[in-house]
């Protein structure tokens, strides 16, 4: 029986090394090979280059789309097809509840009356607490019904209370989506009842949740487990409401869970949004189009575990990122340069130990009179995009530049100096041209006078010459005339 060959090192240096047969007895050769292998493995690692531990990847989920996001910065820690259009089902009510809380300012005491339109707008087969037209309930009861029981009738009542009609409230939902910069979200109702015109993406649903968590009272509401709605003349019996969020109902609940909202329709399948907070950091997870109900809870827990356990905080600021200064231009005048500031505590994957890098995204110069929309893309050492942060000019430096500009006299400002200089040169040129024209005119007149003088002098000389010649001719003629004619003097005509 032939002895088995000892295992080879898996490093590139050893994989390229050919296998050599030993001429020693097989047993001794095997022992020596094992010793040599144990000693050579560290050397092979050095020869191949020491590598940092691999970065842990996210867990495998059955959801067709998911995303894990840091609520503070919007940094995406894990994602799968996050930008495909999906039906959100009842996770829509996160937007509905946040808008209602924002509008009421935390006052949940108003009494609401159920209208006929709120009841008839409930789609067939959808979840409800069977409200009836004319029934009254408090705003607080309607909020808990929409969250815990996912009641579509309660969502419609809330919409009419907040905006006057369901249609007006849906318009407000879409307006808020536009304000949040969402490009792939459109709402057709406040409940999430299926419609081809009612859709979003995992990424944009996470951004909606990120905004909703900033609305006062929303985070506390999201963590609710149960609520009792008192009876009324239309419905005398109490209504007991209980969440279906398994991460809240587990004993103990998921560590640090803020709360969440589930959803389901035949077209959307199972959907879920959860938020959890540990050590001052809140993570948001969205799973869409899960094939089984249990998958959405298990998937959210696995992604939250991954985010809390495999990322370390790192401070990203202007000094660490090496952001270049930005030219400041005001009214066509370059005032100088201002440093950019961008700061956030980001989450770096374990094992990705390289230095951070950044790339500026924004206008090439800063004009204080115009809105500034500068951003900085921050990358890990591996080249992985961590986050896109807002960049702003350092205010103290900017104030000094603007103050120095105000203290300059108007003629000394670079914006006016070219105009002043141009005007000066134009005036000087005009003066020189005027002087030249006057001098030329004087020379022309002087030359004309001299020429006229020469002409006059020449004319007088010619006249005198003619008179002399005429006098001589007259004199000769007088001598040839008769004596009696001589007694008459000759007149010059």
């Amino acid at each position: 029986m032939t002895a088995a060959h000892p295992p080879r090192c898996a490093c590139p240096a050893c994989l390229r090394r050919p296998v050599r047969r030993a001429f020693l007895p097989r047993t001794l050769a095997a022992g020596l090979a094992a010793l040599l292998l144990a000693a050579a493995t560290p050397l092979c690692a050095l020869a191949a280059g020491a590598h940092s531990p691999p970065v842990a990847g996210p867990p495998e989920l059955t959801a067709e789309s998911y995303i894990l996001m840091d609520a503070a910065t919007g940094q995406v820690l894990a994602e799968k097809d996050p930008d495909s259009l999906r039906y959100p089902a009842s996770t829509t009510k996160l937007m509905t509840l946040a808008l209602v809380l924002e509008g009421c300012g935390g006052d949940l005491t108003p009494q609401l009356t159920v209208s006929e339109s709120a009841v008839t707008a409930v789609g067939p087969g959808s979840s409800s607490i069977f409200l009836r037209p004319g029934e009254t309930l408090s705003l607080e009861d309607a909020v808990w019904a929409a969250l815990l029981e996912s009641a579509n009738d309660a969502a419609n009542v809330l919409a009419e209370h907040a905006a006057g009609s369901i249609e007006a409230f849906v318009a407000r939902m879409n307006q808020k989506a536009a304000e949040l910069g969402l490009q792939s979200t459109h709402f057709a109702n406040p409940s999430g009842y299926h419609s081809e015109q009612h859709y979003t993406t995992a990424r944009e649903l996470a951004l909606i949740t990120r905004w909703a968590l900033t609305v006062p009272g929303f985070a506390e509401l999201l963590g609710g487990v149960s609520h009792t709605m008192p009876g009324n003349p239309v419905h005398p019996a109490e209504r007991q409401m209980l969440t279906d969020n398994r991460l809240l109902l587990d004993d103990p609940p998921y560590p640090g869970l803020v709360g969440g909202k589930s959803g389901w329709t035949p077209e959307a399948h199972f959907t879920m949004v959860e938020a959890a907070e540990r050590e001052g950091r809140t993570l948001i997870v969205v799973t869409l189009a899960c094939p089984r109900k249990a998958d959405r809870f298990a998937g959210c827990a696995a992604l939250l575990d991954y985010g809390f356990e495999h990322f370390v905080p790192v401070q990203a600021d202007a000094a660490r990122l090496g952001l270049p200064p930005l030219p400041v231009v005001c009214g066509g005048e370059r005032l100088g340069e201002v440093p950019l500031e961008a700061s956030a505590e980001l989450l770096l994957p374990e094992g990705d130990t390289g230095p951070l890098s950044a790339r500026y995204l924004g206008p090439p110069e800063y004009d204080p009179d115009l809105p500034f929309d500068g951003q900085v893309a921050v990358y890990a050492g591996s080249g992985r995009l961590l986050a896109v942060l807002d960049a702003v000019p350092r205010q103290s430096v900017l104030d000094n530049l603007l103050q120095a500009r105000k203290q300059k006299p108007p003629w000394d400002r670079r914006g006016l100096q070219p105009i002043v200089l141009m005007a000066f040169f134009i005036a000087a040129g005009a003066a020189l041209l005027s002087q030249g024209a006057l001098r030329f005119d004087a020379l022309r007149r002087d030359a004309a006078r001299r020429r006229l003088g020469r002409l006059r002098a020449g004319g007088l000389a010619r006249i005198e010459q003619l008179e002399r010649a005429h006098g001589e001719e007259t004199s000769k003629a007088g001598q040839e005339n008769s004596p009696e004619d001589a007694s008459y003097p000759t007149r010059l005509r």
Side-chain angles (χ1 to χ4, degrees), residues 378-432:
V378 183
Y379 299 87
S382 62
R384 170 178 177 170
L385 176 64
L386 296 180
V388 177
L389 307 178
D390 290 332
V392 295
R394 187 174 298 171
Q395 194 61 41
S396 59
V397 177
L398 182 62
D399 291 341
N400 292 335
L401 292 176
L402 296 177
Q403 186 64 30
R405 180 177 184 269
K406 289 181 180 180
Q407 293 175 352
K408 290 182 180 180
W411 55 266
D412 192 34
R413 296 179 183 176
R414 295 187 61 183
L416 295 176
Q417 188 175 3
I419 300 176
V420 173
L421 290 176
M422 184 179 295
F424 171 76
F425 285 121
I426 290 174
L432 291 175

Short mmCIF file of all heavy atoms in Angstrom, two decimals, residues 378-432:
data_model
loop_
_atom_site.label_atom_id
_atom_site.label_comp_id
_atom_site.label_asym_id
_atom_site.label_seq_id
_atom_site.Cartn_x
_atom_site.Cartn_y
_atom_site.Cartn_z
N VAL A 378 -16.22 59.08 -0.40
CA VAL A 378 -15.18 58.53 0.47
C VAL A 378 -15.03 57.04 0.17
O VAL A 378 -16.03 56.31 0.14
CB VAL A 378 -15.52 58.75 1.96
CG1 VAL A 378 -14.40 58.24 2.84
CG2 VAL A 378 -15.77 60.24 2.22
N TYR A 379 -13.79 56.61 -0.03
CA TYR A 379 -13.50 55.22 -0.37
C TYR A 379 -12.61 54.59 0.69
O TYR A 379 -11.73 55.24 1.27
CB TYR A 379 -12.79 55.14 -1.73
CG TYR A 379 -13.60 55.67 -2.88
CD1 TYR A 379 -13.56 57.03 -3.21
CD2 TYR A 379 -14.43 54.84 -3.63
CE1 TYR A 379 -14.31 57.53 -4.26
CE2 TYR A 379 -15.18 55.34 -4.68
CZ TYR A 379 -15.12 56.69 -4.99
OH TYR A 379 -15.86 57.18 -6.03
N ALA A 380 -12.84 53.28 0.93
CA ALA A 380 -11.97 52.52 1.81
C ALA A 380 -10.67 52.20 1.09
O ALA A 380 -10.50 52.46 -0.11
CB ALA A 380 -12.67 51.25 2.26
N GLY A 381 -9.72 51.62 1.82
CA GLY A 381 -8.44 51.28 1.22
C GLY A 381 -8.56 50.29 0.08
O GLY A 381 -7.76 50.30 -0.85
N SER A 382 -9.58 49.43 0.12
CA SER A 382 -9.80 48.45 -0.94
C SER A 382 -10.44 49.07 -2.18
O SER A 382 -10.61 48.39 -3.19
CB SER A 382 -10.69 47.33 -0.42
OG SER A 382 -11.97 47.84 -0.06
N GLY A 383 -10.81 50.35 -2.12
CA GLY A 383 -11.51 50.99 -3.22
C GLY A 383 -13.02 50.94 -3.10
O GLY A 383 -13.72 51.47 -3.96
N ARG A 384 -13.53 50.33 -2.05
CA ARG A 384 -14.97 50.24 -1.85
C ARG A 384 -15.54 51.60 -1.45
O ARG A 384 -15.01 52.29 -0.57
CB ARG A 384 -15.26 49.22 -0.76
CG ARG A 384 -16.71 49.20 -0.27
CD ARG A 384 -16.91 48.13 0.78
NE ARG A 384 -18.26 48.14 1.31
CZ ARG A 384 -18.75 47.20 2.10
NH1 ARG A 384 -18.01 46.18 2.44
NH2 ARG A 384 -19.99 47.28 2.54
N LEU A 385 -16.60 52.02 -2.13
CA LEU A 385 -17.26 53.27 -1.79
C LEU A 385 -17.95 53.14 -0.44
O LEU A 385 -18.80 52.27 -0.24
CB LEU A 385 -18.28 53.64 -2.86
CG LEU A 385 -19.11 54.90 -2.59
CD1 LEU A 385 -18.23 56.14 -2.54
CD2 LEU A 385 -20.20 55.06 -3.65
N LEU A 386 -17.59 54.01 0.50
CA LEU A 386 -18.20 53.97 1.82
C LEU A 386 -19.42 54.89 1.91
O LEU A 386 -20.47 54.47 2.37
CB LEU A 386 -17.16 54.38 2.88
CG LEU A 386 -15.95 53.46 3.04
CD1 LEU A 386 -15.02 53.99 4.12
CD2 LEU A 386 -16.38 52.03 3.37
N ALA A 387 -19.27 56.11 1.48
CA ALA A 387 -20.37 57.06 1.59
C ALA A 387 -20.07 58.27 0.73
O ALA A 387 -18.93 58.52 0.34
CB ALA A 387 -20.59 57.47 3.05
N VAL A 388 -21.12 59.04 0.44
CA VAL A 388 -21.00 60.33 -0.23
C VAL A 388 -21.45 61.39 0.78
O VAL A 388 -22.61 61.42 1.19
CB VAL A 388 -21.86 60.39 -1.51
CG1 VAL A 388 -21.76 61.78 -2.14
CG2 VAL A 388 -21.41 59.32 -2.50
N LEU A 389 -20.50 62.24 1.20
CA LEU A 389 -20.75 63.21 2.25
C LEU A 389 -20.93 64.61 1.65
O LEU A 389 -20.34 64.93 0.61
CB LEU A 389 -19.58 63.24 3.25
CG LEU A 389 -19.17 61.90 3.85
CD1 LEU A 389 -17.97 62.11 4.78
CD2 LEU A 389 -20.33 61.27 4.62
N ASP A 390 -21.73 65.42 2.31
CA ASP A 390 -21.87 66.82 1.91
C ASP A 390 -20.60 67.57 2.29
O ASP A 390 -20.06 67.41 3.40
CB ASP A 390 -23.07 67.46 2.60
CG ASP A 390 -24.39 66.91 2.08
OD1 ASP A 390 -24.43 66.48 0.91
OD2 ASP A 390 -25.37 66.88 2.85
N ALA A 391 -20.10 68.40 1.38
CA ALA A 391 -18.92 69.22 1.62
C ALA A 391 -19.34 70.68 1.69
O ALA A 391 -20.15 71.15 0.88
CB ALA A 391 -17.88 69.02 0.52
N VAL A 392 -18.78 71.40 2.66
CA VAL A 392 -19.09 72.83 2.83
C VAL A 392 -17.79 73.59 2.99
O VAL A 392 -16.81 73.06 3.51
CB VAL A 392 -20.01 73.07 4.05
CG1 VAL A 392 -21.36 72.43 3.85
CG2 VAL A 392 -19.35 72.53 5.32
N PRO A 393 -17.72 74.86 2.54
CA PRO A 393 -16.52 75.66 2.75
C PRO A 393 -16.35 76.02 4.22
O PRO A 393 -17.34 76.20 4.93
CB PRO A 393 -16.76 76.90 1.89
CG PRO A 393 -18.24 76.99 1.75
CD PRO A 393 -18.76 75.58 1.78
N ARG A 394 -15.10 76.10 4.65
CA ARG A 394 -14.84 76.47 6.04
C ARG A 394 -15.27 77.91 6.25
O ARG A 394 -14.75 78.84 5.64
CB ARG A 394 -13.36 76.30 6.37
CG ARG A 394 -13.03 76.50 7.84
CD ARG A 394 -11.58 76.17 8.11
NE ARG A 394 -11.31 74.77 7.81
CZ ARG A 394 -10.08 74.25 7.78
NH1 ARG A 394 -9.03 75.02 8.03
NH2 ARG A 394 -9.90 72.97 7.50
N GLN A 395 -16.22 78.10 7.15
CA GLN A 395 -16.89 79.38 7.28
C GLN A 395 -15.95 80.48 7.75
O GLN A 395 -16.04 81.62 7.28
CB GLN A 395 -18.08 79.26 8.24
CG GLN A 395 -19.04 80.42 8.20
CD GLN A 395 -19.69 80.59 6.83
OE1 GLN A 395 -20.08 79.63 6.19
NE2 GLN A 395 -19.81 81.84 6.39
N SER A 396 -15.04 80.18 8.66
CA SER A 396 -14.15 81.22 9.18
C SER A 396 -13.26 81.79 8.08
O SER A 396 -13.08 83.01 7.98
CB SER A 396 -13.29 80.64 10.31
OG SER A 396 -12.52 79.54 9.84
N VAL A 397 -12.72 80.93 7.22
CA VAL A 397 -11.87 81.39 6.12
C VAL A 397 -12.70 82.18 5.11
O VAL A 397 -12.28 83.23 4.61
CB VAL A 397 -11.17 80.20 5.44
CG1 VAL A 397 -10.35 80.67 4.23
CG2 VAL A 397 -10.28 79.46 6.43
N LEU A 398 -13.90 81.70 4.83
CA LEU A 398 -14.77 82.40 3.88
C LEU A 398 -15.15 83.79 4.40
O LEU A 398 -15.15 84.76 3.64
CB LEU A 398 -16.02 81.56 3.63
CG LEU A 398 -17.02 82.11 2.63
CD1 LEU A 398 -16.39 82.24 1.25
CD2 LEU A 398 -18.26 81.23 2.57
N ASP A 399 -15.45 83.89 5.69
CA ASP A 399 -15.80 85.19 6.26
C ASP A 399 -14.63 86.17 6.15
O ASP A 399 -14.84 87.36 5.85
CB ASP A 399 -16.20 85.03 7.73
CG ASP A 399 -17.53 84.30 7.89
OD1 ASP A 399 -18.29 84.25 6.90
OD2 ASP A 399 -17.79 83.78 8.98
N ASN A 400 -13.41 85.69 6.37
CA ASN A 400 -12.24 86.57 6.25
C ASN A 400 -12.06 87.07 4.82
O ASN A 400 -11.74 88.25 4.60
CB ASN A 400 -10.98 85.84 6.72
CG ASN A 400 -10.99 85.56 8.21
OD1 ASN A 400 -11.66 86.27 8.97
ND2 ASN A 400 -10.26 84.56 8.65
N LEU A 401 -12.26 86.20 3.85
CA LEU A 401 -12.12 86.60 2.45
C LEU A 401 -13.17 87.64 2.08
O LEU A 401 -12.86 88.64 1.41
CB LEU A 401 -12.24 85.38 1.54
CG LEU A 401 -11.10 84.35 1.61
CD1 LEU A 401 -11.42 83.16 0.72
CD2 LEU A 401 -9.79 84.99 1.18
N LEU A 402 -14.41 87.43 2.51
CA LEU A 402 -15.48 88.37 2.19
C LEU A 402 -15.29 89.70 2.90
O LEU A 402 -15.56 90.77 2.35
CB LEU A 402 -16.84 87.76 2.54
CG LEU A 402 -17.23 86.51 1.75
CD1 LEU A 402 -18.56 85.97 2.24
CD2 LEU A 402 -17.31 86.82 0.25
N GLN A 403 -14.79 89.65 4.15
CA GLN A 403 -14.54 90.89 4.89
C GLN A 403 -13.42 91.69 4.26
O GLN A 403 -13.50 92.92 4.15
CB GLN A 403 -14.21 90.55 6.35
CG GLN A 403 -14.07 91.76 7.25
CD GLN A 403 -15.38 92.53 7.38
OE1 GLN A 403 -16.46 91.95 7.30
NE2 GLN A 403 -15.29 93.84 7.60
N ALA A 404 -12.36 91.01 3.82
CA ALA A 404 -11.27 91.70 3.15
C ALA A 404 -11.73 92.36 1.86
O ALA A 404 -11.28 93.45 1.49
CB ALA A 404 -10.13 90.72 2.86
N ARG A 405 -12.64 91.74 1.17
CA ARG A 405 -13.16 92.32 -0.06
C ARG A 405 -13.98 93.58 0.23
O ARG A 405 -13.91 94.57 -0.51
CB ARG A 405 -14.03 91.29 -0.79
CG ARG A 405 -14.62 91.81 -2.10
CD ARG A 405 -15.39 90.70 -2.81
NE ARG A 405 -15.89 91.15 -4.11
CZ ARG A 405 -17.06 91.70 -4.32
NH1 ARG A 405 -17.89 91.86 -3.30
NH2 ARG A 405 -17.43 92.08 -5.53
N LYS A 406 -14.77 93.56 1.32
CA LYS A 406 -15.57 94.73 1.66
C LYS A 406 -14.71 95.92 2.02
O LYS A 406 -15.09 97.07 1.79
CB LYS A 406 -16.51 94.39 2.82
CG LYS A 406 -17.64 93.45 2.45
CD LYS A 406 -18.53 93.18 3.66
CE LYS A 406 -19.67 92.24 3.30
NZ LYS A 406 -20.54 91.97 4.47
N GLN A 407 -13.53 95.69 2.63
CA GLN A 407 -12.67 96.77 3.08
C GLN A 407 -11.90 97.42 1.93
O GLN A 407 -11.33 98.49 2.10
CB GLN A 407 -11.68 96.24 4.13
CG GLN A 407 -12.36 95.82 5.42
CD GLN A 407 -11.40 95.20 6.41
OE1 GLN A 407 -10.23 94.93 6.09
NE2 GLN A 407 -11.87 94.97 7.62
N LYS A 408 -11.84 96.82 0.77
CA LYS A 408 -11.16 97.42 -0.37
C LYS A 408 -12.00 98.57 -0.93
O LYS A 408 -13.22 98.49 -0.98
CB LYS A 408 -10.94 96.38 -1.47
CG LYS A 408 -9.92 95.31 -1.13
CD LYS A 408 -9.76 94.38 -2.33
CE LYS A 408 -8.74 93.30 -2.04
NZ LYS A 408 -8.59 92.39 -3.20
N PRO A 409 -11.34 99.70 -1.34
CA PRO A 409 -12.11 100.74 -2.04
C PRO A 409 -12.62 100.22 -3.36
O PRO A 409 -12.03 99.30 -3.93
CB PRO A 409 -11.07 101.86 -2.24
CG PRO A 409 -9.74 101.18 -2.16
CD PRO A 409 -9.92 100.03 -1.21
N PRO A 410 -13.70 100.80 -3.85
CA PRO A 410 -14.29 100.26 -5.09
C PRO A 410 -13.33 100.20 -6.25
O PRO A 410 -13.32 99.26 -7.02
CB PRO A 410 -15.45 101.22 -5.36
CG PRO A 410 -15.78 101.80 -4.03
CD PRO A 410 -14.49 101.89 -3.27
N TRP A 411 -12.44 101.22 -6.36
CA TRP A 411 -11.53 101.23 -7.51
C TRP A 411 -10.43 100.19 -7.38
O TRP A 411 -9.72 99.89 -8.35
CB TRP A 411 -10.91 102.61 -7.67
CG TRP A 411 -10.21 103.09 -6.42
CD1 TRP A 411 -10.74 103.88 -5.43
CD2 TRP A 411 -8.86 102.82 -6.04
NE1 TRP A 411 -9.83 104.11 -4.45
CE2 TRP A 411 -8.65 103.47 -4.80
CE3 TRP A 411 -7.82 102.10 -6.60
CZ2 TRP A 411 -7.44 103.40 -4.13
CZ3 TRP A 411 -6.62 102.05 -5.94
CH2 TRP A 411 -6.42 102.69 -4.72
N ASP A 412 -10.24 99.66 -6.18
CA ASP A 412 -9.17 98.70 -5.97
C ASP A 412 -9.66 97.26 -6.11
O ASP A 412 -8.89 96.33 -5.99
CB ASP A 412 -8.55 98.91 -4.58
CG ASP A 412 -7.26 98.13 -4.42
OD1 ASP A 412 -6.53 97.99 -5.43
OD2 ASP A 412 -6.99 97.66 -3.30
N ARG A 413 -10.94 97.09 -6.32
CA ARG A 413 -11.45 95.74 -6.46
C ARG A 413 -11.17 95.23 -7.87
O ARG A 413 -11.32 95.95 -8.85
CB ARG A 413 -12.96 95.72 -6.19
CG ARG A 413 -13.29 96.10 -4.75
CD ARG A 413 -14.78 96.09 -4.51
NE ARG A 413 -15.09 96.53 -3.17
CZ ARG A 413 -16.31 96.69 -2.70
NH1 ARG A 413 -17.35 96.45 -3.48
NH2 ARG A 413 -16.51 97.10 -1.46
N ARG A 414 -10.79 94.02 -7.92
CA ARG A 414 -10.39 93.46 -9.21
C ARG A 414 -11.55 93.46 -10.21
O ARG A 414 -11.35 93.52 -11.41
CB ARG A 414 -9.86 92.05 -9.04
CG ARG A 414 -8.59 92.00 -8.23
CD ARG A 414 -8.00 90.62 -8.22
NE ARG A 414 -7.64 90.19 -9.57
CZ ARG A 414 -7.15 89.00 -9.87
NH1 ARG A 414 -6.95 88.12 -8.92
NH2 ARG A 414 -6.84 88.69 -11.11
N GLY A 415 -12.74 93.49 -9.68
CA GLY A 415 -13.87 93.51 -10.59
C GLY A 415 -14.02 94.85 -11.30
O GLY A 415 -14.47 94.92 -12.43
N LEU A 416 -13.63 95.98 -10.61
CA LEU A 416 -13.76 97.30 -11.21
C LEU A 416 -12.46 97.78 -11.84
O LEU A 416 -12.48 98.67 -12.69
CB LEU A 416 -14.20 98.32 -10.15
CG LEU A 416 -15.60 98.10 -9.56
CD1 LEU A 416 -15.86 99.12 -8.46
CD2 LEU A 416 -16.65 98.21 -10.64
N GLN A 417 -11.33 97.25 -11.41
CA GLN A 417 -10.05 97.76 -11.87
C GLN A 417 -9.90 97.70 -13.40
O GLN A 417 -9.45 98.68 -14.02
CB GLN A 417 -8.92 96.97 -11.20
CG GLN A 417 -7.54 97.53 -11.47
CD GLN A 417 -6.47 96.79 -10.68
OE1 GLN A 417 -6.78 95.84 -9.98
NE2 GLN A 417 -5.25 97.25 -10.79
N PRO A 418 -10.26 96.60 -14.07
CA PRO A 418 -10.13 96.61 -15.53
C PRO A 418 -10.98 97.68 -16.19
O PRO A 418 -10.56 98.31 -17.16
CB PRO A 418 -10.61 95.20 -15.92
CG PRO A 418 -10.42 94.38 -14.70
CD PRO A 418 -10.68 95.30 -13.57
N ILE A 419 -12.19 97.92 -15.63
CA ILE A 419 -13.06 98.95 -16.20
C ILE A 419 -12.45 100.33 -16.02
O ILE A 419 -12.44 101.17 -16.94
CB ILE A 419 -14.46 98.87 -15.57
CG1 ILE A 419 -15.08 97.49 -15.83
CG2 ILE A 419 -15.36 99.98 -16.09
CD1 ILE A 419 -16.41 97.29 -15.17
N VAL A 420 -11.91 100.59 -14.79
CA VAL A 420 -11.29 101.88 -14.53
C VAL A 420 -10.08 102.10 -15.43
O VAL A 420 -9.88 103.17 -16.01
CB VAL A 420 -10.89 101.98 -13.04
CG1 VAL A 420 -10.10 103.25 -12.78
CG2 VAL A 420 -12.15 101.97 -12.16
N LEU A 421 -9.24 101.09 -15.55
CA LEU A 421 -8.07 101.22 -16.41
C LEU A 421 -8.46 101.43 -17.86
O LEU A 421 -7.85 102.25 -18.57
CB LEU A 421 -7.20 99.96 -16.27
CG LEU A 421 -6.47 99.78 -14.93
CD1 LEU A 421 -5.74 98.45 -14.90
CD2 LEU A 421 -5.49 100.94 -14.68
N MET A 422 -9.46 100.71 -18.31
CA MET A 422 -9.90 100.88 -19.69
C MET A 422 -10.43 102.29 -19.93
O MET A 422 -10.11 102.94 -20.96
CB MET A 422 -10.99 99.85 -20.01
CG MET A 422 -11.44 99.88 -21.47
SD MET A 422 -12.71 98.65 -21.80
CE MET A 422 -11.77 97.15 -21.53
N ALA A 423 -11.20 102.80 -18.97
CA ALA A 423 -11.71 104.16 -19.11
C ALA A 423 -10.58 105.17 -19.13
O ALA A 423 -10.61 106.16 -19.89
CB ALA A 423 -12.69 104.46 -17.97
N PHE A 424 -9.55 104.95 -18.29
CA PHE A 424 -8.41 105.87 -18.25
C PHE A 424 -7.68 105.88 -19.59
O PHE A 424 -7.37 106.95 -20.14
CB PHE A 424 -7.45 105.46 -17.13
CG PHE A 424 -6.15 106.21 -17.14
CD1 PHE A 424 -6.06 107.52 -16.69
CD2 PHE A 424 -5.00 105.60 -17.64
CE1 PHE A 424 -4.86 108.20 -16.72
CE2 PHE A 424 -3.80 106.28 -17.67
CZ PHE A 424 -3.72 107.59 -17.21
N PHE A 425 -7.42 104.69 -20.12
CA PHE A 425 -6.70 104.63 -21.39
C PHE A 425 -7.52 105.22 -22.53
O PHE A 425 -6.98 105.86 -23.44
CB PHE A 425 -6.31 103.19 -21.70
CG PHE A 425 -5.16 102.69 -20.88
CD1 PHE A 425 -5.30 101.58 -20.07
CD2 PHE A 425 -3.93 103.33 -20.91
CE1 PHE A 425 -4.25 101.11 -19.31
CE2 PHE A 425 -2.87 102.88 -20.15
CZ PHE A 425 -3.02 101.76 -19.34
N ILE A 426 -8.83 105.01 -22.49
CA ILE A 426 -9.69 105.59 -23.53
C ILE A 426 -9.65 107.13 -23.46
O ILE A 426 -9.53 107.83 -24.47
CB ILE A 426 -11.13 105.07 -23.40
CG1 ILE A 426 -11.18 103.58 -23.77
CG2 ILE A 426 -12.07 105.87 -24.28
CD1 ILE A 426 -12.53 102.95 -23.54
N ALA A 427 -9.75 107.65 -22.20
CA ALA A 427 -9.71 109.11 -22.04
C ALA A 427 -8.36 109.67 -22.47
O ALA A 427 -8.27 110.71 -23.14
CB ALA A 427 -10.00 109.47 -20.58
N ALA A 428 -7.27 108.97 -22.07
CA ALA A 428 -5.94 109.44 -22.46
C ALA A 428 -5.78 109.40 -23.98
O ALA A 428 -5.23 110.32 -24.60
CB ALA A 428 -4.87 108.58 -21.78
N GLY A 429 -6.25 108.33 -24.58
CA GLY A 429 -6.16 108.24 -26.04
C GLY A 429 -6.96 109.33 -26.73
O GLY A 429 -6.52 109.92 -27.72
N ALA A 430 -8.16 109.60 -26.18
CA ALA A 430 -8.98 110.65 -26.77
C ALA A 430 -8.30 112.02 -26.65
O ALA A 430 -8.33 112.84 -27.59
CB ALA A 430 -10.34 110.68 -26.10
N ALA A 431 -7.66 112.25 -25.46
CA ALA A 431 -6.96 113.53 -25.29
C ALA A 431 -5.80 113.65 -26.26
O ALA A 431 -5.57 114.72 -26.86
CB ALA A 431 -6.47 113.65 -23.85
N LEU A 432 -5.03 112.59 -26.42
CA LEU A 432 -3.91 112.63 -27.37
C LEU A 432 -4.40 112.85 -28.79
O LEU A 432 -3.81 113.63 -29.56
CB LEU A 432 -3.12 111.33 -27.27
CG LEU A 432 -2.33 111.13 -25.96
CD1 LEU A 432 -1.69 109.74 -25.95
CD2 LEU A 432 -1.25 112.21 -25.80
#
